Amino acid sequence: MAEASRWHLGGTPKHKLHYRKEVEMRTTLQEFLLYLIFLINLCILTFGMVNPHMYYLNKVMSSLFLDTSVHGEERINFKSIRSITDFWKFMEGPLLEGLYWDSWYNNKNLYDLKNSSRIYYENILLGVPRVRQLKVRNNTCKVHSSFRSLMNECYDKYTSENEDLSDFGLKYDTEWKYSAPIINSPWHWGFTGVYRNGGYIFTLPKSKSETLNKFINLRMNSWITRSTRVIFIDFSLYNANVNLFCIIRLVAEFPATGGILTSWQFYSVKLLRYVSYYDYFIASCEITFCIFLIVFTTQEVLKIKEFKSAYFKSSWNWLELLLLVLCFVAVFFNSYCNIQTFLLLGQLLKSTEKYSDFYFLAHWHIYYNNIIAITIFFAWIKIFKFISFNKTMSQLSSTLSRCIKDIVGFAIMFFIIFFAYAQLGFLVFGSQVDDFSTFQNSIFTQFRIVLGDFNFAGIQQASRILGPIYFITFIFFVFFVLLNMFLAIINDTYSEVKADYSIGRRPDFELGKMIKKSYHNALEKLKLKKPETDEDKKRKSRDLAEQARREGFDEKEIQSAEQMKKWKERLEKKYYSTEIQDDYQPVTQQEFRDGTTSKYKMRLCECLTK
C-alpha cells in the first residue's frame, strides 16, 4: 500500500493549509476557551430564565383546581369529570370556591377586594375569568338509512369547517351569540381536535353569588348541547412575591362518541423581565450572548469564503450553522416577546372588569423557552468537537464516527421490524388498550416495553391468543436479538479503534497534552519548577527500565519496547496533518508489520512512554 494521503474532513480541499503542530494546537485551545466562555454565559442566561417557584406555583394551582372534589362527592373533581352533570357540579363547586377568596380564614378582610380576588391570599386574579365553547353544526355527518327512523341528527367531530356560527338558545347575551375569532390568537391542540379562538363566550362577574346564579341559569337553559365539542375556562394570576404570572386554561372536550375528556395547561412565566439586580445581570448576559453571536457568525462567513463548497462537507460545520440559526431564532423570539409584553401588558391591566388575555404572551414565552432549551442542548453537543483531551475520549469519537454506516444499516432493519410490530399492536389491541389506541401510542409503548415498562395483563385481556404471541416474539426479536446486534456493532468497532491506537494511530491533536505542557512551562517561568534536562530524562528512562526488570521483563523485551517507543514518535511526526478524514493517523502496511509487537511489549512500551 502506498503511504496514506492526507484528506480534509469533507474531501480534498482546493487550498490546503499546513500549520505547524504547536500553532494549530494553540489556536484550537484558544477557540475552545472562547467557546467555553460562550457556553458558560449561555448556561447562566438559560438558568436565569427558570425559577424554582414556577413549579411550586403550578403545583399549588393545579392542586386547587384539579384535585379539589365536589363537596359531599369525593369522586368528582376536574380530572374525573365524565358527564355534563359532573361538569356543572365542578363549575358550581370547586371552580367557584377556587376563584373567589372573599375573606381571610377567620372571616376578616385584610385587604381591599374591590379590584380582584386573591387566590391563596397571595395570587391576584387579573381581570375576570372567561368561559367559551365551540360547537358544530347539525348534519355535518350522515346517518345510515337503516337508522334514520331512530335518529335524524348527526354532529361530527370538530373542525373549522364544521363549526357552528349561528346564535342559539336565549340569544340575548354574549354566551348565546357567536363571537368571531381573533386573527393572531393561537389555536389549541386537544385530544380530539385542533380548536381555534372565538365561539360562545361569557365572563364571570366579580361577585361569587352572581357567578353562581349565572351558572345555574346556563345549566337550566341548556347552554351545553349535543353540538358542544369543547369548553375552555381561562384566567390569569400574578404573584408579586416571586414576580410570576400564572396563566391557567382548563379544557373539557366533548367527543362525538359522548362523555368528556379533560385536560389543562398551567404556564408560569416571567413577563416582567428586569426588576431586580439579578435580572439586570441576566440582561448583561444577553448582550454578551449577542456579541458572541456576531463574532461566531463572522468566523463562519470567513470560513465559507475560504473553503467554499468543501466547508459544507464537514458535519461539524453543519452543527455550527445549526447552532447559529437556533441562536438567531432565540434572539428573535426574545425580542418579539419583550416587545409584545411592553405593548400589551399595560392594556391588559387597565380594566379589571374584563378578561385579560395573557395566554397569547404565555404562548410565545413557552416557544422562546423551547427554542433556548434546544439551543443549549446543541451547544453542549459541540463540546465533542474538542473531545481530544485524552486517548479515551478520542477513542469514543473515533468509534462513533467509524461505525456510523453500520448503525444506519442496522437502524433500517430495526425500524422495519419495529414498525411492523407497532402496526400489529395498533390493529389488534387499539380498540381495547389505551397504550395502543393510536399508531403513535403503539410506537411509544414499544419503546417502553424495551425499557421494561409494559402492561402484559391488558394485552392478554385484549386478545388471549395474539396478545402473548405478540409480546413474546417482540421481546425475543427486538430485545434479545436486535439490541444485542447493536451492542455488538459498537463493541467490535471499539475493539478495532483501540487496536489501531495501540500501534501508533493517534488523534490529530491532543489538547490535554497542550494544556499540561503550557502548565509546566508556566511553572518553569515562575521559578516554581526546575526545567527538565536531558540527564533527567535519561535517569527517568533508566528508572522505568529498572522497574520493568523487577516486574520480570528481560533485556531483549526492554530494548524492543524502547525501539517501539522511538518508532511511534517518528511515526507521529511523519504522519501529522491537520487535514484527515478520521481522528486517527493512518499507517502503511510495512509500518504496521514493523511496529506490531506482542501484548507484553506494548504494555512495557506504554510504561516507558509514561
Side-chain angles (χ1 to χ4, degrees):
M1 181 190 296
E3 286 191 357
S5 58
R6 298 297 172 261
W7 298 91
H8 187 265
L9 284 171
T12 304
K14 295 181 179 179
H15 308 283
K16 290 187 177 181
L17 301 177
H18 300 280
Y19 299 100
R20 295 183 62 84
K21 185 174 183 179
E22 295 79 5
V23 175
E24 184 187 358
M25 293 177 70
R26 188 178 297 109
T27 303
T28 305
L29 179 60
Q30 293 174 354
E31 181 183 352
F32 172 68
L33 293 177
L34 180 64
Y35 183 76
L36 191 62
I37 297 173
F38 165 77
L39 186 60
I40 293 173
N41 178 82
L42 183 59
C43 289
I44 295 174
L45 178 62
T46 52
F47 289 136
M49 297 165 41
V50 181
N51 191 328
H53 295 292
M54 292 179 176
Y55 168 75
Y56 295 113
L57 183 57
N58 287 340
K59 182 178 179 181
V60 167
M61 291 301 126
S62 62
S63 176
L64 176 62
F65 291 103
L66 302 181
D67 299 330
T68 304
S69 302
V70 176
H71 182 69
E73 298 187 39
E74 299 298 328
R75 182 187 64 84
I76 300 177
N77 54 30
F78 185 76
K79 293 180 178 179
S80 63
I81 292 176
R82 293 295 178 266
S83 65
I84 297 177
T85 303
D86 294 343
F87 179 81
W88 284 118
K89 288 181 179 180
F90 167 79
M91 296 286 283
E92 298 171 11
L95 179 66
L96 195 67
E97 297 296 331
L99 289 175
Y100 295 93
W101 294 62
D102 297 334
S103 60
W104 194 250
Y105 61 88
N106 56 4
N107 296 324
K108 290 185 178 180
N109 294 327
L110 298 183
Y111 43 74
D112 186 9
L113 286 172
K114 68 178 182 179
N115 289 327
S116 184
S117 171
R118 295 194 181 183
I119 299 175
Y120 277 125
Y121 315 113
E122 303 292 345
N123 305 282
I124 301 175
L125 182 63
L126 302 176
V128 293
R130 182 187 70 179
V131 181
R132 68 183 181 95
Q133 76 159 307
L134 295 175
K135 303 173 60 179
V136 294
R137 300 187 309 274
N138 187 16
N139 297 323
T140 50
C141 52
K142 294 183 179 180
V143 179
H144 194 272
S145 58
S146 302
F147 292 90
R148 287 176 185 173
S149 59
L150 302 176
M151 178 179 294
N152 55 8
E153 295 178 340
C154 187
Y155 299 93
D156 200 358
K157 64 179 183 180
Y158 176 86
T159 61
S160 57
E161 293 79 12
N162 294 340
E163 185 176 358
D164 189 2
L165 309 180
S166 60
D167 300 342
F168 76 106
L170 302 181
K171 300 183 180 180
Y172 64 81
D173 213 339
T174 57
E175 57 264 32
W176 307 99
K177 297 181 179 180
Y178 182 81
S179 300
I182 302 175
I183 297 177
N184 295 330
S185 182
W187 290 34
H188 179 87
W189 189 1
F191 288 123
T192 60
V194 180
Y195 307 98
R196 64 177 179 178
N197 207 343
Y200 303 90
I201 305 172
F202 68 92
T203 56
L204 304 185
K206 287 285 186 177
S207 171
K208 181 178 180 180
S209 59
E210 293 180 9
T211 301
L212 178 60
N213 292 332
K214 191 173 191 66
F215 286 158
I216 294 174
N217 179 59
L218 293 174
R219 174 167 55 84
M220 297 301 295
N221 288 281
S222 300
W223 187 66
I224 301 176
T225 64
R226 283 185 58 201
S227 61
T228 300
R229 286 295 171 260
V230 66
I231 294 178
F232 297 94
I233 305 171
D234 297 304
F235 54 96
S236 304
L237 312 172
Y238 175 70
N239 190 306
N241 300 331
V242 294
N243 188 29
L244 289 177
F245 290 80
C246 186
I247 291 84
I248 301 174
R249 166 168 287 185
L250 306 179
V251 184
E253 296 181 67
F254 297 74
T257 57
I260 298 178
L261 301 175
T262 58
S263 59
W264 48 87
Q265 292 177 342
F266 292 84
Y267 293 146
S268 290
V269 294
K270 189 176 182 179
L271 299 181
L272 301 176
R273 298 286 303 277
Y274 311 111
V275 177
S276 63
Y277 290 111
Y278 181 72
D279 295 334
Y280 288 108
F281 170 70
I282 296 298
S284 66
C285 292
E286 293 176 348
I287 297 174
T288 306
F289 174 81
C290 294
I291 296 174
F292 273 112
L293 184 57
I294 295 173
V295 172
F296 290 152
T297 303
T298 304
Q299 290 178 350
E300 295 307 311
V301 170
L302 294 177
K303 288 181 181 179
I304 293 175
K305 289 183 177 180
E306 183 176 1
F307 295 102
K308 297 181 172 59
S309 60
Y311 173 89
F312 299 98
K313 296 180 181 179
S314 170
S315 57
W316 290 117
N317 293 337
W318 281 105
L319 179 62
E320 293 274 7
L321 294 178
L322 175 62
L323 190 58
L324 288 177
V325 170
L326 289 173
C327 289
F328 277 109
V329 173
V331 171
F332 168 76
F333 272 76
N334 185 34
S335 303
Y336 182 79
C337 290
N338 289 335
I339 292 173
Q340 292 297 323
T341 301
F342 176 77
L343 296 176
L344 299 178
L345 189 61
Q347 299 178 7
L348 294 174
L349 296 177
K350 277 184 180 179
S351 176
T352 60
E353 302 295 330
K354 297 181 179 179
Y355 167 69
S356 299
D357 190 3
F358 285 91
Y359 187 80
F360 173 77
L361 297 177
H363 187 76
W364 281 101
H365 270 78
I366 296 301
Y367 275 160
Y368 170 64
N369 290 348
N370 295 341
I371 289 295
I372 204 69
I374 298 174
T375 303
I376 192 67
F377 171 78
F378 283 106
W380 277 106
I381 293 298
K382 187 183 171 182
I383 289 291
F384 284 95
K385 182 180 180 181
F386 311 97
I387 202 171
S388 300
F389 283 110
N390 55 42
K391 180 180 177 181
T392 303
M393 297 176 67
S394 182
Q395 285 177 354
L396 172 63
S397 60
S398 299
T399 301
L400 295 177
S401 61
R402 193 186 292 192
C403 70
I404 187 66
K405 293 182 180 179
D406 293 333
I407 291 179
V408 170
F410 167 80
I412 295 174
M413 176 180 62
F414 175 84
F415 282 108
I416 288 175
I417 298 176
F418 192 84
F419 286 131
Y421 271 100
Q423 191 167 11
L424 173 64
F426 169 61
L427 295 176
V428 176
F429 316 119
S431 61
Q432 304 292 329
V433 184
D434 179 62
D435 292 338
F436 295 88
S437 57
T438 64
F439 184 69
Q440 295 87 341
N441 287 352
S442 298
I443 295 175
F444 290 124
T445 299
Q446 290 188 160
F447 280 116
R448 289 168 51 195
I449 291 176
V450 171
L451 296 175
D453 180 16
F454 53 86
N455 180 18
F456 177 74
I459 296 175
Q460 187 179 29
Q461 185 175 2
S463 178
R464 298 281 182 184
I465 299 176
L466 291 179
I469 294 176
Y470 162 85
F471 182 79
I472 294 173
T473 56
F474 177 81
I475 290 295
F476 176 77
F477 286 110
V478 175
F479 187 78
F480 289 108
V481 178
L482 294 179
L483 288 185
N484 283 282
M485 287 179 60
F486 174 76
L487 295 177
I489 293 173
I490 300 293
N491 186 55
D492 291 346
T493 308
Y494 178 74
S495 300
E496 294 175 4
V497 171
K498 194 171 183 180
D500 290 342
Y501 273 64
S502 67
I503 62 172
R505 295 184 176 183
R506 295 294 186 190
D508 49 351
F509 52 83
E510 291 193 10
L511 287 180
K513 291 182 178 180
M514 179 64 182
I515 295 173
K516 186 177 180 179
K517 183 178 179 181
S518 301
Y519 172 73
H520 289 300
N521 291 339
L523 291 180
E524 292 175 0
K525 290 180 180 180
L526 294 174
K527 307 296 184 181
L528 299 176
K529 180 183 178 182
K530 293 181 179 180
E532 189 176 13
T533 61
D534 293 339
E535 185 63 27
D536 295 332
K537 294 180 179 179
K538 292 180 180 179
R539 185 174 62 253
K540 185 178 180 180
S541 179
R542 288 195 298 267
D543 294 340
L544 291 174
E546 186 63 29
Q547 181 182 355
R549 292 188 184 97
R550 289 196 300 267
E551 292 182 0
F553 294 95
D554 56 27
E555 293 298 327
K556 185 177 180 180
E557 292 171 341
I558 295 175
Q559 292 177 2
S560 299
E562 290 177 346
Q563 292 176 358
M564 180 67 182
K565 176 185 176 183
K566 294 178 181 179
W567 171 81
K568 290 170 68 177
E569 291 176 351
R570 289 197 303 269
L571 189 65
E572 289 176 358
K573 291 180 180 179
K574 180 179 178 181
Y575 281 97
Y576 172 77
S577 174
T578 62
E579 299 175 352
I580 55 174
Q581 187 174 9
D582 203 349
D583 52 358
Y584 61 86
Q585 298 294 337
V587 297
T588 63
Q589 289 183 349
Q590 182 62 35
E591 289 166 333
F592 179 83
R593 288 192 295 267
D594 295 341
T596 302
T597 61
S598 61
K599 184 176 181 181
Y600 62 86
K601 290 183 180 180
M602 292 307 305
R603 177 186 173 194
L604 181 58
C605 177
E606 291 177 358
C607 181
L608 291 174
T609 302
K610 296 179 181 177

